[in-house]
Amino acid sequence: MLKKVLYSAEAVSTGDGRNGHVATADGRVDLDLAMPPELGGTGNGANPEQLFASGYAACFHSALRLVARHTDADLTGSTVTGRVGIGNAEDDALGLAVTLVVHLPHVAPGTAKELADAAHLVCPYSRATRGNIPVELQIAD
């Protein structure tokens, strides 16, 4: 439970779910969805995993910048790549797995790992997924 909601987003899915359409109430997101070919679809549209990967990467990048403010780390040119996989979990139900690739070109690998670990503690997406799906942090060369 949140003590206070600071922002709320609203999106509506229409059509056939993964082969439908999503739009946010403010109109900033408005796109067709299509299942990827790997799941039997056409791939002629975005899919929920791409949206989740985008949101997680952006949120984690913000958390990374937040924790780096307390250091002298140079995050110029930094990127976070979110990879979301969908597949059969151990119980044969569909499940998700996430890999976040953190690229900090001006930061030593050990420090980059420390910053990524600290961001993983404060990122709202990381907090929401913790204990629910596997999330791997990778430090890019």
Side-chain angles (χ1 to χ4, degrees):
M1 180 69 65
L2 298 175
K3 290 190 315 187
K4 179 180 179 183
V5 175
L6 301 174
Y7 170 76
S8 181
E10 180 180 320
V12 176
S13 169
T14 57
D16 189 20
R18 287 179 164 273
N19 289 309
H21 189 88
V22 291
T24 56
D26 63 7
R28 292 182 185 263
V29 175
D30 189 348
L31 49 92
D32 290 328
L33 298 178
M35 291 204 9
E38 298 83 353
L39 296 179
T42 65
N44 292 333
N47 64 63
E49 290 70 38
Q50 292 170 320
L51 298 172
F52 186 49
S54 299
Y56 203 159
C59 187
F60 194 86
H61 201 180
S62 289
L64 190 63
R65 289 187 163 281
L66 175 74
V67 299
R69 281 187 209 150
H70 305 292
T71 71
D72 61 353
D74 179 1
L75 267 59
T76 304
S78 64
T79 62
V80 174
T81 302
R83 297 180 182 143
V84 174
I86 185 170
N88 288 12
E90 292 179 14
D91 62 0
D92 287 329
L94 286 177
L96 299 174
V98 173
T99 301
L100 297 172
V101 182
V102 177
H103 179 61
L104 304 177
H106 305 289
V107 178
T111 302
K113 173 81 168 101
E114 289 173 8
L115 291 171
D117 287 343
H120 196 42
L121 293 175
V122 299
C123 172
Y125 276 60
S126 292
R127 291 172 51 89
T129 59
R130 189 168 292 117
N132 297 309
I133 64 171
V135 176
E136 178 186 359
L137 301 178
Q138 291 181 358
I139 305 302
D141 296 335

mmCIF file of all heavy atoms in Angstrom, residues 14-69:
data_model
loop_
_atom_site.group_PDB
_atom_site.id
_atom_site.type_symbol
_atom_site.label_atom_id
_atom_site.label_comp_id
_atom_site.label_asym_id
_atom_site.label_seq_id
_atom_site.Cartn_x
_atom_site.Cartn_y
_atom_site.Cartn_z
ATOM 1 N N THR A 14 -7.820 -2.846 -25.736
ATOM 2 C CA THR A 14 -9.024 -3.210 -26.484
ATOM 3 C C THR A 14 -8.659 -4.282 -27.504
ATOM 4 O O THR A 14 -7.484 -4.554 -27.748
ATOM 5 C CB THR A 14 -9.626 -1.990 -27.213
ATOM 6 O OG1 THR A 14 -8.636 -1.425 -28.072
ATOM 7 C CG2 THR A 14 -10.113 -0.945 -26.221
ATOM 8 N N GLY A 15 -9.664 -4.849 -28.104
ATOM 9 C CA GLY A 15 -9.429 -5.886 -29.105
ATOM 10 C C GLY A 15 -9.203 -7.222 -28.442
ATOM 11 O O GLY A 15 -9.895 -7.589 -27.508
ATOM 12 N N ASP A 16 -8.174 -7.916 -28.894
ATOM 13 C CA ASP A 16 -7.906 -9.278 -28.441
ATOM 14 C C ASP A 16 -6.652 -9.331 -27.576
ATOM 15 O O ASP A 16 -5.761 -10.148 -27.801
ATOM 16 C CB ASP A 16 -7.785 -10.185 -29.670
ATOM 17 C CG ASP A 16 -7.715 -11.656 -29.310
ATOM 18 O OD1 ASP A 16 -8.119 -12.026 -28.193
ATOM 19 O OD2 ASP A 16 -7.224 -12.438 -30.148
ATOM 20 N N GLY A 17 -6.527 -8.426 -26.618
ATOM 21 C CA GLY A 17 -5.377 -8.443 -25.712
ATOM 22 C C GLY A 17 -4.068 -8.276 -26.446
ATOM 23 O O GLY A 17 -3.774 -7.207 -26.963
ATOM 24 N N ARG A 18 -3.294 -9.348 -26.543
ATOM 25 C CA ARG A 18 -1.978 -9.304 -27.191
ATOM 26 C C ARG A 18 -2.069 -9.006 -28.685
ATOM 27 O O ARG A 18 -1.088 -8.653 -29.305
ATOM 28 C CB ARG A 18 -1.237 -10.615 -26.979
ATOM 29 C CG ARG A 18 -0.750 -10.775 -25.569
ATOM 30 C CD ARG A 18 -0.028 -12.120 -25.415
ATOM 31 N NE ARG A 18 0.756 -12.119 -24.207
ATOM 32 C CZ ARG A 18 2.007 -11.677 -24.122
ATOM 33 N NH1 ARG A 18 2.614 -11.196 -25.177
ATOM 34 N NH2 ARG A 18 2.647 -11.707 -22.983
ATOM 35 N N ASN A 19 -3.222 -9.198 -29.283
ATOM 36 C CA ASN A 19 -3.443 -8.850 -30.686
ATOM 37 C C ASN A 19 -4.506 -7.763 -30.752
ATOM 38 O O ASN A 19 -5.498 -7.881 -31.465
ATOM 39 C CB ASN A 19 -3.885 -10.077 -31.495
ATOM 40 C CG ASN A 19 -2.761 -11.061 -31.698
ATOM 41 O OD1 ASN A 19 -1.679 -10.695 -32.131
ATOM 42 N ND2 ASN A 19 -3.009 -12.311 -31.364
ATOM 43 N N GLY A 20 -4.275 -6.713 -30.009
ATOM 44 C CA GLY A 20 -5.259 -5.649 -29.918
ATOM 45 C C GLY A 20 -4.618 -4.287 -29.996
ATOM 46 O O GLY A 20 -3.749 -4.037 -30.830
ATOM 47 N N HIS A 21 -5.032 -3.431 -29.093
ATOM 48 C CA HIS A 21 -4.586 -2.055 -29.095
ATOM 49 C C HIS A 21 -4.504 -1.579 -27.648
ATOM 50 O O HIS A 21 -5.313 -1.986 -26.816
ATOM 51 C CB HIS A 21 -5.588 -1.189 -29.878
ATOM 52 C CG HIS A 21 -5.117 0.197 -30.131
ATOM 53 N ND1 HIS A 21 -4.369 0.536 -31.226
ATOM 54 C CD2 HIS A 21 -5.284 1.339 -29.422
ATOM 55 C CE1 HIS A 21 -4.096 1.829 -31.192
ATOM 56 N NE2 HIS A 21 -4.635 2.337 -30.098
ATOM 57 N N VAL A 22 -3.527 -0.745 -27.360
ATOM 58 C CA VAL A 22 -3.439 -0.106 -26.048
ATOM 59 C C VAL A 22 -3.298 1.392 -26.233
ATOM 60 O O VAL A 22 -2.681 1.864 -27.196
ATOM 61 C CB VAL A 22 -2.271 -0.625 -25.178
ATOM 62 C CG1 VAL A 22 -2.498 -2.054 -24.743
ATOM 63 C CG2 VAL A 22 -0.943 -0.459 -25.872
ATOM 64 N N ALA A 23 -3.892 2.128 -25.330
ATOM 65 C CA ALA A 23 -3.777 3.584 -25.348
ATOM 66 C C ALA A 23 -3.868 4.088 -23.914
ATOM 67 O O ALA A 23 -4.634 3.568 -23.112
ATOM 68 C CB ALA A 23 -4.885 4.213 -26.194
ATOM 69 N N THR A 24 -3.063 5.092 -23.632
ATOM 70 C CA THR A 24 -3.136 5.716 -22.321
ATOM 71 C C THR A 24 -4.202 6.801 -22.344
ATOM 72 O O THR A 24 -4.548 7.339 -23.403
ATOM 73 C CB THR A 24 -1.779 6.319 -21.911
ATOM 74 O OG1 THR A 24 -1.356 7.243 -22.910
ATOM 75 C CG2 THR A 24 -0.736 5.236 -21.713
ATOM 76 N N ALA A 25 -4.700 7.119 -21.172
ATOM 77 C CA ALA A 25 -5.761 8.115 -21.050
ATOM 78 C C ALA A 25 -5.331 9.474 -21.593
ATOM 79 O O ALA A 25 -6.152 10.211 -22.142
ATOM 80 C CB ALA A 25 -6.202 8.233 -19.585
ATOM 81 N N ASP A 26 -4.033 9.795 -21.475
ATOM 82 C CA ASP A 26 -3.550 11.086 -21.965
ATOM 83 C C ASP A 26 -3.145 11.061 -23.437
ATOM 84 O O ASP A 26 -2.735 12.069 -23.989
ATOM 85 C CB ASP A 26 -2.399 11.599 -21.108
ATOM 86 C CG ASP A 26 -1.168 10.700 -21.154
ATOM 87 O OD1 ASP A 26 -1.126 9.730 -21.949
ATOM 88 O OD2 ASP A 26 -0.228 10.964 -20.381
ATOM 89 N N GLY A 27 -3.241 9.897 -24.085
ATOM 90 C CA GLY A 27 -2.938 9.773 -25.507
ATOM 91 C C GLY A 27 -1.466 9.691 -25.862
ATOM 92 O O GLY A 27 -1.121 9.578 -27.030
ATOM 93 N N ARG A 28 -0.573 9.700 -24.869
ATOM 94 C CA ARG A 28 0.857 9.657 -25.169
ATOM 95 C C ARG A 28 1.302 8.297 -25.688
ATOM 96 O O ARG A 28 2.268 8.207 -26.446
ATOM 97 C CB ARG A 28 1.677 10.059 -23.957
ATOM 98 C CG ARG A 28 1.489 11.529 -23.616
ATOM 99 C CD ARG A 28 2.345 11.922 -22.429
ATOM 100 N NE ARG A 28 2.063 13.285 -22.049
ATOM 101 C CZ ARG A 28 2.774 14.333 -22.431
ATOM 102 N NH1 ARG A 28 3.800 14.166 -23.227
ATOM 103 N NH2 ARG A 28 2.452 15.541 -22.034
ATOM 104 N N VAL A 29 0.640 7.244 -25.272
ATOM 105 C CA VAL A 29 0.867 5.906 -25.823
ATOM 106 C C VAL A 29 -0.417 5.499 -26.522
ATOM 107 O O VAL A 29 -1.502 5.572 -25.936
ATOM 108 C CB VAL A 29 1.228 4.882 -24.723
ATOM 109 C CG1 VAL A 29 1.340 3.481 -25.295
ATOM 110 C CG2 VAL A 29 2.507 5.289 -24.006
ATOM 111 N N ASP A 30 -0.284 5.106 -27.772
ATOM 112 C CA ASP A 30 -1.456 4.736 -28.576
ATOM 113 C C ASP A 30 -0.942 3.830 -29.685
ATOM 114 O O ASP A 30 -0.465 4.316 -30.713
ATOM 115 C CB ASP A 30 -2.107 5.999 -29.144
ATOM 116 C CG ASP A 30 -3.441 5.726 -29.816
ATOM 117 O OD1 ASP A 30 -3.774 4.554 -30.058
ATOM 118 O OD2 ASP A 30 -4.141 6.711 -30.105
ATOM 119 N N LEU A 31 -0.964 2.518 -29.446
ATOM 120 C CA LEU A 31 -0.359 1.637 -30.435
ATOM 121 C C LEU A 31 -1.029 0.277 -30.522
ATOM 122 O O LEU A 31 -1.679 -0.184 -29.589
ATOM 123 C CB LEU A 31 1.139 1.489 -30.166
ATOM 124 C CG LEU A 31 1.624 1.168 -28.764
ATOM 125 C CD1 LEU A 31 1.770 -0.318 -28.554
ATOM 126 C CD2 LEU A 31 2.955 1.831 -28.558
ATOM 127 N N ASP A 32 -0.855 -0.320 -31.696
ATOM 128 C CA ASP A 32 -1.363 -1.661 -31.946
ATOM 129 C C ASP A 32 -0.406 -2.674 -31.347
ATOM 130 O O ASP A 32 0.811 -2.471 -31.307
ATOM 131 C CB ASP A 32 -1.480 -1.918 -33.453
ATOM 132 C CG ASP A 32 -2.588 -1.108 -34.091
ATOM 133 O OD1 ASP A 32 -3.603 -0.849 -33.421
ATOM 134 O OD2 ASP A 32 -2.430 -0.727 -35.271
ATOM 135 N N LEU A 33 -0.975 -3.777 -30.898
ATOM 136 C CA LEU A 33 -0.201 -4.871 -30.345
ATOM 137 C C LEU A 33 -0.332 -6.095 -31.246
ATOM 138 O O LEU A 33 -1.380 -6.297 -31.879
ATOM 139 C CB LEU A 33 -0.694 -5.240 -28.946
ATOM 140 C CG LEU A 33 -0.605 -4.175 -27.868
ATOM 141 C CD1 LEU A 33 -1.183 -4.706 -26.563
ATOM 142 C CD2 LEU A 33 0.832 -3.724 -27.659
ATOM 143 N N ALA A 34 0.703 -6.898 -31.280
ATOM 144 C CA ALA A 34 0.667 -8.162 -32.004
ATOM 145 C C ALA A 34 1.601 -9.135 -31.307
ATOM 146 O O ALA A 34 2.686 -8.767 -30.860
ATOM 147 C CB ALA A 34 1.095 -7.971 -33.453
ATOM 148 N N MET A 35 1.174 -10.373 -31.218
ATOM 149 C CA MET A 35 2.040 -11.390 -30.625
ATOM 150 C C MET A 35 3.270 -11.554 -31.501
ATOM 151 O O MET A 35 3.186 -11.503 -32.727
ATOM 152 C CB MET A 35 1.302 -12.716 -30.480
ATOM 153 C CG MET A 35 0.228 -12.615 -29.441
ATOM 154 S SD MET A 35 -0.359 -14.099 -28.603
ATOM 155 C CE MET A 35 0.658 -15.401 -29.008
ATOM 156 N N PRO A 36 4.437 -11.766 -30.885
ATOM 157 C CA PRO A 36 5.645 -11.983 -31.678
ATOM 158 C C PRO A 36 5.562 -13.339 -32.401
ATOM 159 O O PRO A 36 4.852 -14.245 -31.955
ATOM 160 C CB PRO A 36 6.765 -11.971 -30.637
ATOM 161 C CG PRO A 36 6.113 -12.228 -29.327
ATOM 162 C CD PRO A 36 4.698 -11.774 -29.451
ATOM 163 N N PRO A 37 6.281 -13.473 -33.502
ATOM 164 C CA PRO A 37 6.266 -14.744 -34.233
ATOM 165 C C PRO A 37 6.630 -15.950 -33.360
ATOM 166 O O PRO A 37 6.088 -17.042 -33.533
ATOM 167 C CB PRO A 37 7.301 -14.532 -35.346
ATOM 168 C CG PRO A 37 7.336 -13.055 -35.541
ATOM 169 C CD PRO A 37 7.081 -12.463 -34.180
ATOM 170 N N GLU A 38 7.531 -15.732 -32.382
ATOM 171 C CA GLU A 38 7.950 -16.827 -31.498
ATOM 172 C C GLU A 38 6.799 -17.380 -30.672
ATOM 173 O O GLU A 38 6.862 -18.499 -30.172
ATOM 174 C CB GLU A 38 9.073 -16.360 -30.563
ATOM 175 C CG GLU A 38 10.344 -15.938 -31.272
ATOM 176 C CD GLU A 38 10.339 -14.504 -31.785
ATOM 177 O OE1 GLU A 38 9.291 -13.810 -31.731
ATOM 178 O OE2 GLU A 38 11.402 -14.057 -32.245
ATOM 179 N N LEU A 39 5.745 -16.576 -30.512
ATOM 180 C CA LEU A 39 4.563 -17.031 -29.765
ATOM 181 C C LEU A 39 3.386 -17.298 -30.698
ATOM 182 O O LEU A 39 2.245 -17.372 -30.258
ATOM 183 C CB LEU A 39 4.180 -15.989 -28.704
ATOM 184 C CG LEU A 39 5.208 -15.737 -27.596
ATOM 185 C CD1 LEU A 39 4.714 -14.674 -26.637
ATOM 186 C CD2 LEU A 39 5.523 -17.017 -26.854
ATOM 187 N N GLY A 40 3.673 -17.384 -31.991
ATOM 188 C CA GLY A 40 2.622 -17.719 -32.948
ATOM 189 C C GLY A 40 1.930 -16.542 -33.579
ATOM 190 O O GLY A 40 0.923 -16.701 -34.271
ATOM 191 N N GLY A 41 2.432 -15.345 -33.386
ATOM 192 C CA GLY A 41 1.790 -14.158 -33.944
ATOM 193 C C GLY A 41 2.499 -13.629 -35.177
ATOM 194 O O GLY A 41 3.463 -14.208 -35.666
ATOM 195 N N THR A 42 2.024 -12.491 -35.632
ATOM 196 C CA THR A 42 2.584 -11.866 -36.831
ATOM 197 C C THR A 42 3.774 -10.973 -36.523
ATOM 198 O O THR A 42 4.604 -10.724 -37.390
ATOM 199 C CB THR A 42 1.520 -11.001 -37.536
ATOM 200 O OG1 THR A 42 1.173 -9.911 -36.669
ATOM 201 C CG2 THR A 42 0.291 -11.807 -37.896
ATOM 202 N N GLY A 43 3.828 -10.435 -35.321
ATOM 203 C CA GLY A 43 4.876 -9.487 -34.977
ATOM 204 C C GLY A 43 4.658 -8.110 -35.576
ATOM 205 O O GLY A 43 5.531 -7.259 -35.512
ATOM 206 N N ASN A 44 3.476 -7.869 -36.130
ATOM 207 C CA ASN A 44 3.179 -6.585 -36.781
ATOM 208 C C ASN A 44 2.641 -5.558 -35.798
ATOM 209 O O ASN A 44 1.647 -4.895 -36.067
ATOM 210 C CB ASN A 44 2.185 -6.790 -37.937
ATOM 211 C CG ASN A 44 2.792 -7.571 -39.070
ATOM 212 O OD1 ASN A 44 3.995 -7.553 -39.263
ATOM 213 N ND2 ASN A 44 1.968 -8.280 -39.812
ATOM 214 N N GLY A 45 3.256 -5.442 -34.684
ATOM 215 C CA GLY A 45 2.872 -4.487 -33.657
ATOM 216 C C GLY A 45 3.782 -4.677 -32.461
ATOM 217 O O GLY A 45 4.576 -5.615 -32.410
ATOM 218 N N ALA A 46 3.678 -3.785 -31.521
ATOM 219 C CA ALA A 46 4.446 -3.916 -30.287
ATOM 220 C C ALA A 46 3.847 -5.036 -29.444
ATOM 221 O O ALA A 46 2.780 -5.561 -29.755
ATOM 222 C CB ALA A 46 4.414 -2.591 -29.521
ATOM 223 N N ASN A 47 4.539 -5.418 -28.381
ATOM 224 C CA ASN A 47 3.989 -6.433 -27.477
ATOM 225 C C ASN A 47 4.267 -6.023 -26.031
ATOM 226 O O ASN A 47 5.109 -5.164 -25.773
ATOM 227 C CB ASN A 47 4.528 -7.827 -27.818
ATOM 228 C CG ASN A 47 6.021 -7.946 -27.627
ATOM 229 O OD1 ASN A 47 6.534 -7.809 -26.524
ATOM 230 N ND2 ASN A 47 6.744 -8.193 -28.726
ATOM 231 N N PRO A 48 3.536 -6.623 -25.097
ATOM 232 C CA PRO A 48 3.685 -6.228 -23.695
ATOM 233 C C PRO A 48 5.105 -6.368 -23.152
ATOM 234 O O PRO A 48 5.531 -5.567 -22.318
ATOM 235 C CB PRO A 48 2.718 -7.151 -22.955
ATOM 236 C CG PRO A 48 1.674 -7.475 -23.977
ATOM 237 C CD PRO A 48 2.421 -7.578 -25.275
ATOM 238 N N GLU A 49 5.852 -7.358 -23.634
ATOM 239 C CA GLU A 49 7.214 -7.531 -23.141
ATOM 240 C C GLU A 49 8.096 -6.363 -23.557
ATOM 241 O O GLU A 49 8.952 -5.919 -22.797
ATOM 242 C CB GLU A 49 7.792 -8.871 -23.637
ATOM 243 C CG GLU A 49 7.149 -10.092 -22.996
ATOM 244 C CD GLU A 49 5.709 -10.325 -23.447
ATOM 245 O OE1 GLU A 49 5.393 -10.110 -24.643
ATOM 246 O OE2 GLU A 49 4.891 -10.722 -22.604
ATOM 247 N N GLN A 50 7.879 -5.829 -24.775
ATOM 248 C CA GLN A 50 8.639 -4.658 -25.207
ATOM 249 C C GLN A 50 8.302 -3.444 -24.347
ATOM 250 O O GLN A 50 9.181 -2.663 -23.988
ATOM 251 C CB GLN A 50 8.341 -4.346 -26.679
ATOM 252 C CG GLN A 50 8.879 -5.384 -27.632
ATOM 253 C CD GLN A 50 8.361 -5.180 -29.039
ATOM 254 O OE1 GLN A 50 7.193 -4.846 -29.246
ATOM 255 N NE2 GLN A 50 9.223 -5.399 -30.012
ATOM 256 N N LEU A 51 7.040 -3.284 -24.012
ATOM 257 C CA LEU A 51 6.631 -2.163 -23.179
ATOM 258 C C LEU A 51 7.212 -2.282 -21.769
ATOM 259 O O LEU A 51 7.690 -1.311 -21.185
ATOM 260 C CB LEU A 51 5.109 -2.059 -23.133
ATOM 261 C CG LEU A 51 4.431 -1.800 -24.481
ATOM 262 C CD1 LEU A 51 2.921 -1.907 -24.340
ATOM 263 C CD2 LEU A 51 4.839 -0.463 -25.050
ATOM 264 N N PHE A 52 7.207 -3.510 -21.228
ATOM 265 C CA PHE A 52 7.756 -3.743 -19.904
ATOM 266 C C PHE A 52 9.267 -3.510 -19.912
ATOM 267 O O PHE A 52 9.817 -2.859 -19.008
ATOM 268 C CB PHE A 52 7.411 -5.155 -19.437
ATOM 269 C CG PHE A 52 7.817 -5.467 -18.020
ATOM 270 C CD1 PHE A 52 7.500 -4.618 -16.980
ATOM 271 C CD2 PHE A 52 8.507 -6.630 -17.732
ATOM 272 C CE1 PHE A 52 7.872 -4.910 -15.669
ATOM 273 C CE2 PHE A 52 8.881 -6.938 -16.428
ATOM 274 C CZ PHE A 52 8.568 -6.082 -15.403
ATOM 275 N N ALA A 53 9.959 -3.996 -20.948
ATOM 276 C CA ALA A 53 11.409 -3.800 -21.061
ATOM 277 C C ALA A 53 11.739 -2.313 -21.124
ATOM 278 O O ALA A 53 12.691 -1.840 -20.486
ATOM 279 C CB ALA A 53 11.955 -4.521 -22.291
ATOM 280 N N SER A 54 10.950 -1.561 -21.887
ATOM 281 C CA SER A 54 11.170 -0.114 -22.008
ATOM 282 C C SER A 54 10.969 0.591 -20.678
ATOM 283 O O SER A 54 11.788 1.420 -20.263
ATOM 284 C CB SER A 54 10.208 0.483 -23.045
ATOM 285 O OG SER A 54 10.413 -0.085 -24.310
ATOM 286 N N GLY A 55 9.871 0.286 -20.012
ATOM 287 C CA GLY A 55 9.573 0.922 -18.736
ATOM 288 C C GLY A 55 10.598 0.586 -17.670
ATOM 289 O O GLY A 55 11.051 1.476 -16.927
ATOM 290 N N TYR A 56 10.985 -0.691 -17.605
ATOM 291 C CA TYR A 56 11.946 -1.108 -16.590
ATOM 292 C C TYR A 56 13.300 -0.451 -16.855
ATOM 293 O O TYR A 56 13.953 0.061 -15.941
ATOM 294 C CB TYR A 56 12.065 -2.625 -16.564
ATOM 295 C CG TYR A 56 12.569 -3.218 -15.269
ATOM 296 C CD1 TYR A 56 12.318 -4.560 -14.973
ATOM 297 C CD2 TYR A 56 13.299 -2.492 -14.337
ATOM 298 C CE1 TYR A 56 12.769 -5.139 -13.796
ATOM 299 C CE2 TYR A 56 13.758 -3.056 -13.158
ATOM 300 C CZ TYR A 56 13.502 -4.385 -12.896
ATOM 301 O OH TYR A 56 13.953 -4.965 -11.735
ATOM 302 N N ALA A 57 13.749 -0.436 -18.117
ATOM 303 C CA ALA A 57 15.039 0.170 -18.441
ATOM 304 C C ALA A 57 15.061 1.643 -18.052
ATOM 305 O O ALA A 57 16.033 2.133 -17.458
ATOM 306 C CB ALA A 57 15.342 0.001 -19.935
ATOM 307 N N ALA A 58 14.003 2.364 -18.383
ATOM 308 C CA ALA A 58 13.945 3.795 -18.070
ATOM 309 C C ALA A 58 13.906 4.036 -16.565
ATOM 310 O O ALA A 58 14.604 4.919 -16.042
ATOM 311 C CB ALA A 58 12.731 4.427 -18.742
ATOM 312 N N CYS A 59 13.099 3.273 -15.863
ATOM 313 C CA CYS A 59 12.991 3.441 -14.414
ATOM 314 C C CYS A 59 14.316 3.106 -13.734
ATOM 315 O O CYS A 59 14.778 3.840 -12.854
ATOM 316 C CB CYS A 59 11.864 2.541 -13.887
ATOM 317 S SG CYS A 59 11.482 2.808 -12.148
ATOM 318 N N PHE A 60 14.953 2.006 -14.162
ATOM 319 C CA PHE A 60 16.221 1.606 -13.562
ATOM 320 C C PHE A 60 17.301 2.649 -13.856
ATOM 321 O O PHE A 60 18.113 2.960 -12.981
ATOM 322 C CB PHE A 60 16.654 0.227 -14.074
ATOM 323 C CG PHE A 60 17.748 -0.383 -13.260
ATOM 324 C CD1 PHE A 60 17.457 -1.116 -12.124
ATOM 325 C CD2 PHE A 60 19.074 -0.211 -13.611
ATOM 326 C CE1 PHE A 60 18.470 -1.667 -11.345
ATOM 327 C CE2 PHE A 60 20.095 -0.748 -12.856
ATOM 328 C CZ PHE A 60 19.795 -1.479 -11.719
ATOM 329 N N HIS A 61 17.290 3.204 -15.071
ATOM 330 C CA HIS A 61 18.278 4.221 -15.419
ATOM 331 C C HIS A 61 18.125 5.444 -14.506
ATOM 332 O O HIS A 61 19.128 6.028 -14.044
ATOM 333 C CB HIS A 61 18.130 4.599 -16.892
ATOM 334 C CG HIS A 61 19.351 5.221 -17.487
ATOM 335 N ND1 HIS A 61 19.407 5.614 -18.784
ATOM 336 C CD2 HIS A 61 20.573 5.542 -16.963
ATOM 337 C CE1 HIS A 61 20.595 6.143 -19.045
ATOM 338 N NE2 HIS A 61 21.315 6.106 -17.950
ATOM 339 N N SER A 62 16.887 5.826 -14.238
ATOM 340 C CA SER A 62 16.648 6.946 -13.310
ATOM 341 C C SER A 62 17.145 6.619 -11.912
ATOM 342 O O SER A 62 17.764 7.464 -11.244
ATOM 343 C CB SER A 62 15.158 7.294 -13.259
ATOM 344 O OG SER A 62 14.753 7.899 -14.451
ATOM 345 N N ALA A 63 16.893 5.405 -11.454
ATOM 346 C CA ALA A 63 17.362 4.995 -10.125
ATOM 347 C C ALA A 63 18.888 4.986 -10.079
ATOM 348 O O ALA A 63 19.496 5.383 -9.079
ATOM 349 C CB ALA A 63 16.804 3.616 -9.778
ATOM 350 N N LEU A 64 19.511 4.555 -11.157
ATOM 351 C CA LEU A 64 20.969 4.537 -11.243
ATOM 352 C C LEU A 64 21.528 5.954 -11.134
ATOM 353 O O LEU A 64 22.485 6.214 -10.395
ATOM 354 C CB LEU A 64 21.366 3.897 -12.576
ATOM 355 C CG LEU A 64 22.816 3.555 -12.809
ATOM 356 C CD1 LEU A 64 23.289 2.507 -11.812
ATOM 357 C CD2 LEU A 64 22.991 3.035 -14.235
ATOM 358 N N ARG A 65 20.918 6.879 -11.832
ATOM 359 C CA ARG A 65 21.355 8.280 -11.772
ATOM 360 C C ARG A 65 21.126 8.858 -10.365
ATOM 361 O O ARG A 65 21.932 9.655 -9.878
ATOM 362 C CB ARG A 65 20.649 9.108 -12.829
ATOM 363 C CG ARG A 65 21.128 8.770 -14.229
ATOM 364 C CD ARG A 65 20.559 9.699 -15.282
ATOM 365 N NE ARG A 65 21.322 9.594 -16.503
ATOM 366 C CZ ARG A 65 22.492 10.168 -16.744
ATOM 367 N NH1 ARG A 65 23.063 10.900 -15.820
ATOM 368 N NH2 ARG A 65 23.112 10.011 -17.898
ATOM 369 N N LEU A 66 20.044 8.451 -9.731
ATOM 370 C CA LEU A 66 19.753 8.917 -8.369
ATOM 371 C C LEU A 66 20.845 8.477 -7.400
ATOM 372 O O LEU A 66 21.372 9.291 -6.641
ATOM 373 C CB LEU A 66 18.393 8.392 -7.918
ATOM 374 C CG LEU A 66 18.019 8.705 -6.472
ATOM 375 C CD1 LEU A 66 17.644 10.171 -6.330
ATOM 376 C CD2 LEU A 66 16.877 7.818 -6.019
ATOM 377 N N VAL A 67 21.187 7.198 -7.416
ATOM 378 C CA VAL A 67 22.204 6.715 -6.463
ATOM 379 C C VAL A 67 23.587 7.245 -6.806
ATOM 380 O O VAL A 67 24.412 7.443 -5.915
ATOM 381 C CB VAL A 67 22.209 5.170 -6.334
ATOM 382 C CG1 VAL A 67 20.871 4.668 -5.829
ATOM 383 C CG2 VAL A 67 22.598 4.486 -7.623
ATOM 384 N N ALA A 68 23.840 7.521 -8.094
ATOM 385 C CA ALA A 68 25.154 8.034 -8.500
ATOM 386 C C ALA A 68 25.364 9.481 -8.078
ATOM 387 O O ALA A 68 26.508 9.937 -7.979
ATOM 388 C CB ALA A 68 25.323 7.902 -10.002
ATOM 389 N N ARG A 69 24.283 10.199 -7.808
ATOM 390 C CA ARG A 69 24.403 11.601 -7.361
ATOM 391 C C ARG A 69 25.216 11.732 -6.088
ATOM 392 O O ARG A 69 25.786 12.771 -5.807
ATOM 393 C CB ARG A 69 23.020 12.207 -7.121
ATOM 394 C CG ARG A 69 22.335 12.635 -8.363
ATOM 395 C CD ARG A 69 21.056 13.381 -8.027
ATOM 396 N NE ARG A 69 20.125 13.190 -9.112
ATOM 397 C CZ ARG A 69 18.820 13.173 -8.997
ATOM 398 N NH1 ARG A 69 18.251 13.346 -7.823
ATOM 399 N NH2 ARG A 69 18.061 12.980 -10.042
#
